[in-house]
Amino acid sequence: MLRLARSIIDAVFGKKRPLETDEEEDHQEPVETKKQKVNMVYRVKVTNLPKTDMSTVRKYFKKLGYTRVKKAPKWDYAFITVDTEEEANECLKTMKESTFKNRTLSGEIIIETEEEHRNKMSGGRRKGGNRDAIQDEDDTRTPAEKLADQVTPLWRKPYEAQIKIKNQKGVRQLIVLKKRVAELSKNARDVNQIKWALEEGSYPCEILEPVPSPETNGYRTKCEFTIGRDLDGKPTVGFLLGLYREGVTSVLDPSECLNVSDIAKKIAQAMCDYIRKSDLPVYDRVTKEGYWRTLMTKTQSTGDNLVLVQMRDEDLTSERVEEEKQKLIKFWNEESGVKVTTLLFQSWNGSSNGFTDRAPIDVLTGDGYIYENLLGCRFRLSASAFFQVNTPATELLYSKCAEWCSIDETKKTTLLDLCCGTGTIGITMAKSVDRVIGVEMVPEAIVDAKANAKLNDVENVTYYADKVENKIDVVKNAANEEVIAVLDPPRNGVHASVIRAIRGAQHIDRVIYISCDAKQALSNFVALCRPESSSYSGMPFKPARAISFDLFPHTDHSELMIEFVRIKKEEK
C-alpha cells in the first residue's frame, strides 16, 4: 500500500524529466526518488489567547524572539513557525512559562511535511474530510462565499449602503487633507495661503452626492484569471482562494463572482475545459513546474473579445510550443463556442506571476487589438493598454470631468492630459478645446493614443512619451487664456516631482485630479495645497469641490474626483 501511495505521489509531484529522456534514465529514476529530501515544517500552536488584539499578540511574541506568527481575528490561538524540532520544543517550553494579559498560555507542537502544510494553507482537506486545523473553526462560509468576500468584499450589503461606505472613505481623506494642511501653518511663510484650511468646519470644500454605477453586476471588461488546481486538485481557471504570500494556491472558478461578465465566465470555463484535456499539466506556483499559468480576457461592450494565454515553456521544444499554439487556434476558432476577436500568447518562465512586459506577446489570430466606444469616440485597445473596466460608469466620470473643466467655446483653452494613457480623456474632450497636450511615461501607451486620435479624426492633440515634469512647460509661452490640467494617475498617485512641476507652472490655473485610491494619493493632495517653501515654489491650490464615482460595485474601491483651484495672490 505504501509503495502504491509513493508511486502516486511521485507521478503527481515528483521531479519531471526532459521529454527526450531515454530508457536508461527511466530505470534510474526510482533511485533518485529515494534520495529526495523531505522538508518538514515545525509549528507551535499557542492556545488561550484573546480573540482580538492581534497586533498586541504579535508584539508580545516578537519580544520573545518569534516573528513568524499567524493569527486571525476570531482565533483564540496562534501559530508560531520555527526551523527545527529543537526550536519547537524550546518555543513550547517558553509559551508554557508565559502569561499574556493574565492568561496562562499553553500549546502543542505540530510537525508536518511541506506538502501537508501547503495543502492546509491552500484550503485542502485532511483524510476523512475534516477541516484544516489552520482555518478558523468558526468560519462556516462556503468556498464561493470566501472568494466573494475576497474579490467583492461589499457584496453582502445593499448597493445603496455600498455607495455610502465608499463615499465616506473619500470624505474621510478630504477631512484628513484639511487637517494636514492646517498643521503646516506653524511653519508657513505666509499663513494666508492656507487660510481655507484654518476655517471652521471639517470639510475643506463642497462635496457632491456620489454617482452610482449604471451597472452593478458583470461590469468588468478586463479579468486576469489564474490557472491552477481547485480544492479537489482538478485543473481550474479562476481566482486564488486567498493570498499566495500566505501559502494559498487553490483556485476557484469565477462562476459566482458578481463583477465578472457572463462572456468572461464563459471564456474562463472554455479554457478550463481545454487544460483538463491537455497532456500538459497546469503550472504549480510552489514547485515552479507545469505549463498553463494565466488567462487574460478583455470583453468590450462592442462585442470584441481579446483572449491572452500565458504558459511556461522552459523544458518544451520549439516544435512542441508551436504545436500547442496551433491547438489553441483550432480550439478558440472552432470548439470553444466563444467569438474571439484576437487570440494572443505569451511564454513566461520567470518566477513572478501574472502577465509581464518582460516577455513578448505573440498574435495567434486577429491583429492583436479590440475596440471600445466611449462618449461617441472609438478606442483601439491592446493587451497591455490601460482602459477603465466599467465603460458606462466611466462615461459618467469623464462627462463630469468635462463639465468641471468649464470649457467655453468663446475662450482659447488648452487641456493638459497628464498621465494620459491611451488618450481617452483628452480625445473625448478634444472637440471642445483649442488643443490637447497628452503626456505619458509608457511609450506603448502613446502609440495607442496617437492611433486613437487618428481613429477619431482628432488633429488638435499632441502626445509626448516623457515624464510630466519634463513637458509641463510646453504651453508656457502660448497666448492661452486658460490652461487646465487633468491628472488621472495610477493608484498610488504621482511622484512628488510631478506635483512640484505643476505648482511651478504658473500658467496652470486648475487641476482636476481623478484618484482611484484617495488614501494613497493623499500626499499628492497635500503637496498641491501646502504653502510656498524652498521645496514647493508657486502659489498653492485649494480644493473647490469633490465627488466620488462608483466604477467598481461590490468592491471597496471608487474614484474620487477633486477640482483644485490655484490661489491668486490678490485673494490670499
Side-chain angles (χ1 to χ4, degrees):
M1 187 70 181
L2 179 61
R3 187 176 300 172
L4 174 61
R6 180 174 296 170
S7 67
I8 295 173
I9 293 173
D10 290 343
V12 177
F13 297 104
K15 184 177 179 181
K16 291 179 175 56
R17 57 185 176 87
L19 296 178
E20 295 85 3
T21 302
D22 56 28
E23 292 183 6
E24 206 171 272
E25 288 174 312
D26 272 341
H27 294 308
Q28 294 176 0
E29 188 172 315
V31 178
E32 293 178 359
T33 303
K34 288 180 181 178
K35 292 181 181 180
Q36 189 174 0
K37 182 180 177 180
V38 177
N39 295 320
M40 307 300 293
V41 175
Y42 302 93
R43 293 184 299 148
V44 175
K45 181 178 180 181
V46 184
T47 56
N48 201 29
L49 291 166
K51 290 187 177 182
T52 56
D53 296 333
M54 284 192 297
S55 60
T56 310
V57 169
R58 290 178 185 275
K59 289 178 182 177
Y60 177 75
F61 286 146
K62 188 175 182 179
K63 286 183 179 179
L64 296 178
Y66 301 103
T67 57
R68 295 151 68 187
V69 179
K70 183 174 180 64
K71 185 183 185 308
K74 295 183 180 180
W75 293 358
D76 58 1
Y77 54 89
F79 292 92
I80 297 176
T81 303
V82 294
D83 294 325
T84 64
E85 187 172 359
E86 291 74 19
E87 290 181 7
N89 287 319
E90 184 62 30
C91 177
L92 180 60
K93 181 181 177 183
T94 300
M95 293 303 124
K96 288 184 175 180
E97 296 173 352
S98 301
T99 302
F100 180 78
K101 291 191 173 183
N102 298 321
R103 294 168 177 256
T104 301
L105 302 183
S106 186
E108 62 176 314
I109 294 175
I110 300 174
I111 302 175
E112 55 202 354
T113 65
E114 278 190 349
E115 185 179 326
E116 289 172 336
H117 179 65
R118 188 165 67 244
N119 286 341
K120 285 184 178 182
M121 295 296 289
S122 63
R125 298 180 179 271
R126 296 183 178 188
K127 278 186 178 180
N130 294 328
R131 293 180 60 82
D132 303 332
I134 193 72
Q135 294 182 351
D136 183 359
E137 295 172 356
D138 297 329
D139 192 347
T140 59
R141 294 175 300 166
T142 65
E145 289 174 333
K146 290 180 182 179
L147 182 61
D149 287 340
Q150 175 183 305
V151 177
T152 50
L154 299 182
W155 70 280
R156 298 175 187 271
K157 298 182 180 297
Y159 187 57
E160 294 76 11
Q162 295 181 28
I163 294 294
K164 290 181 180 179
I165 291 171
K166 291 196 268 193
N167 184 58
Q168 192 56 41
K169 288 178 65 176
V171 171
R172 192 178 302 122
Q173 296 310 312
L174 290 169
I175 294 173
V176 174
L177 167 63
K178 185 177 181 181
K179 289 181 179 179
R180 294 273 180 88
V181 175
E183 291 169 357
L184 298 173
S185 64
K186 300 173 185 177
N187 301 312
R189 295 176 184 173
D190 184 356
V191 72
N192 287 323
Q193 293 181 355
I194 56 171
K195 64 181 182 180
W196 62 269
L198 303 175
E199 295 173 352
E200 292 184 0
S202 300
Y203 297 165
C205 62
E206 179 187 12
I207 300 175
L208 304 178
E209 286 295 314
V211 179
S213 173
E215 297 178 6
T216 57
N217 293 335
Y219 58 85
R220 283 197 68 91
T221 55
K222 177 189 174 184
C223 292
E224 193 166 318
F225 300 110
T226 295
I227 301 176
R229 295 185 180 277
D230 64 14
L231 294 171
D232 296 321
K234 296 179 181 179
T236 302
V237 177
F239 298 116
L240 284 173
L241 198 53
L243 298 176
Y244 175 65
R245 66 174 177 267
E246 294 183 358
V248 177
T249 58
S250 288
V251 174
L252 198 69
D253 72 77
S255 60
E256 296 186 42
C257 292
L258 295 177
N259 59 344
V260 179
S261 68
D262 289 340
I263 184 62
K265 292 176 181 178
K266 189 173 182 179
I267 293 172
Q269 183 58 54
M271 189 66 198
C272 181
D273 295 339
Y274 181 87
I275 60 173
R276 287 185 177 182
K277 294 178 182 178
S278 173
D279 61 336
L280 298 176
V282 299
Y283 181 73
D284 188 311
R285 293 189 175 203
V286 178
T287 66
K288 312 300 182 187
E289 297 178 337
Y291 302 94
W292 304 111
R293 299 189 66 156
T294 314
L295 174 75
M296 178 198 289
T297 64
K298 287 191 174 185
T299 53
Q300 309 306 135
S301 64
T302 57
D304 284 359
N305 298 316
L306 178 151
V307 174
L308 172 53
V309 179
Q310 185 194 66
M311 75 178 299
R312 170 183 167 274
D313 65 354
E314 191 170 4
D315 50 5
L316 297 178
T317 64
S318 57
E319 292 79 11
R320 182 68 175 86
V321 174
E322 183 58 34
E323 177 187 341
E324 203 57 48
K325 289 181 181 179
Q326 295 304 314
K327 287 182 179 180
L328 286 169
I329 292 172
K330 185 176 187 298
F331 173 77
W332 289 106
N333 280 350
E334 303 175 14
E335 303 169 17
S336 66
V338 178
K339 172 201 168 188
V340 176
T341 308
T342 188
L343 175 64
L344 309 176
F345 179 90
Q346 184 179 61
S347 295
W348 175 238
N349 300 316
S351 58
S352 63
N353 297 304
F355 291 98
T356 176
D357 57 4
R358 290 177 285 171
I361 293 177
D362 299 330
V363 178
L364 301 188
T365 66
D367 60 4
Y369 299 104
I370 52 175
Y371 294 84
E372 180 62 290
N373 296 328
L374 185 73
L375 292 176
C377 298
R378 188 169 176 82
F379 292 92
R380 188 188 81 173
L381 308 178
S382 61
S384 59
F386 171 78
F387 198 89
Q388 293 284 9
V389 299
N390 185 337
T391 300
T394 301
E395 291 189 319
L396 297 179
L397 172 65
Y398 289 174
S399 294
K400 181 61 72 172
C401 179
E403 178 187 319
W404 279 17
C405 285
S406 299
I407 294 169
D408 186 345
E409 293 184 1
T410 64
K411 271 190 171 184
K412 186 174 182 181
T413 308
T414 293
L415 175 69
L416 286 176
D417 188 3
L418 308 179
C419 305
C420 68
T422 57
T424 50
I425 293 177
I427 290 173
T428 56
M429 296 169 62
K431 294 179 181 178
S432 302
V433 298
D434 290 276
R435 64 169 170 162
V436 175
I437 305 294
V439 186
E440 170 63 58
M441 284 185 59
V442 181
E444 294 82 5
I446 290 296
V447 172
D448 285 334
K450 290 180 178 179
N452 286 325
K454 185 177 181 181
L455 184 65
N456 291 281
D457 296 322
V458 173
E459 298 180 350
N460 62 332
V461 60
T462 304
Y463 289 109
Y464 296 96
D466 204 338
K467 294 181 178 179
V468 169
E469 53 267 42
N470 292 342
K471 294 297 179 182
I472 198 75
D473 289 334
V474 292
V475 295
K476 187 171 185 179
N477 298 320
N480 292 299
E481 294 183 13
E482 188 172 23
V483 177
I484 303 170
V486 175
L487 192 58
D488 186 11
R491 185 172 299 279
N492 58 350
V494 294
H495 192 272
S497 60
V498 176
I499 302 299
R500 290 193 186 97
I502 294 173
R503 284 281 301 265
Q506 293 296 325
H507 55 288
I508 298 177
D509 297 317
R510 287 187 293 150
V511 175
I512 309 297
Y513 195 120
I514 301 173
S515 171
C516 56
D517 191 326
K519 187 174 183 178
Q520 290 196 54
L522 182 62
S523 60
N524 284 176
F525 304 161
V526 174
L528 277 171
C529 299
R530 65 185 303 137
E532 285 184 293
S533 65
S534 56
S535 298
Y536 289 88
S537 62
M539 290 295 289
F541 292 79
K542 67 176 181 180
R545 48 186 168 176
I547 184 172
S548 65
F549 289 81
D550 185 20
L551 268 65
F552 317 101
H554 308 302
T555 77
D556 50 12
H557 300 296
S558 63
E559 301 274 346
L560 178 67
M561 186 167 72
I562 308 173
E563 179 186 21
F564 291 95
V565 179
R566 190 185 292 274
I567 296 174
K568 303 297 182 182
K569 290 186 177 182
E570 59 269 18
E571 67 174 77
K572 291 189 302 179

